[in-house]
Amino acid sequence: MSSKKQLYVLRHGNAFAHGYERDDLRELTPEGIEEVKQTARAFNEQGERLDAVFVSPYVRAQQTAKYFLAELDQTDVEVQSCPLITPSGKELDVALWLNDQKAKSILLITHQPFAHQLVELLSDEPLPASFAMTTAALAALEGELFATACCQYRWLIAQ
């Protein structure tokens, strides 16, 4: 029998509005930095640990990783950039890719609409009506494998 894996999906913090020539260069606002730190502190209170962190290469996601991880009580987590989890990421491709990861507790730092679509794809039940991947929202799932409707939705931290 295989053990269950933990998956956490974190949407980046509030970023400056569109208007940049390239969306991938948008940065977090001061409010976005603070909400990411608040989410990290709330995650710490859950008492859970991360084995691996995968971050979209977009600037605002990279900044979210920096501020989120700085608030955690652990320094031994592996962090990698992952081009699969941009706003246009394909949730089924990512689910298949996640199954190949050896880590048991994985954090993805990503964007909308991908974040919501991935959580919805993996969840074995309809998400609560109040579920929303607002900026700096962190959703937790658990499952033996990451496939359509194979994970239990556990909780959501939203600011």
Side-chain angles (χ1 to χ4, degrees), residues 86-144:
T86 62
S88 59
K90 305 290 185 233
E91 57 273 12
L92 192 54
D93 292 345
V94 171
L96 294 170
W97 169 80
L98 281 167
N99 282 314
D100 292 335
Q101 303 307 309
K102 302 218 181 307
K104 296 288 185 195
S105 180
I106 299 170
L107 170 65
L108 301 181
I109 301 178
T110 187
H111 312 265
Q112 280 291 72
F114 174 77
H116 189 284
Q117 292 168 344
L118 180 65
V119 173
E120 190 170 51
L121 173 85
L122 296 175
S123 183
D124 62 358
E125 294 182 3
L127 295 171
S130 62
F131 182 87
M133 289 299 292
T134 56
T135 56
L138 176 65
L141 297 145
E142 178 179 71
E144 291 184 13

Side-chain angles (χ1 to χ4, degrees), residues 20 53 55-56 67 86 122 133:
Y20 283 75
V53 177
V55 186
S56 161
Y67 292 109
T86 62
L122 296 175
M133 289 299 292

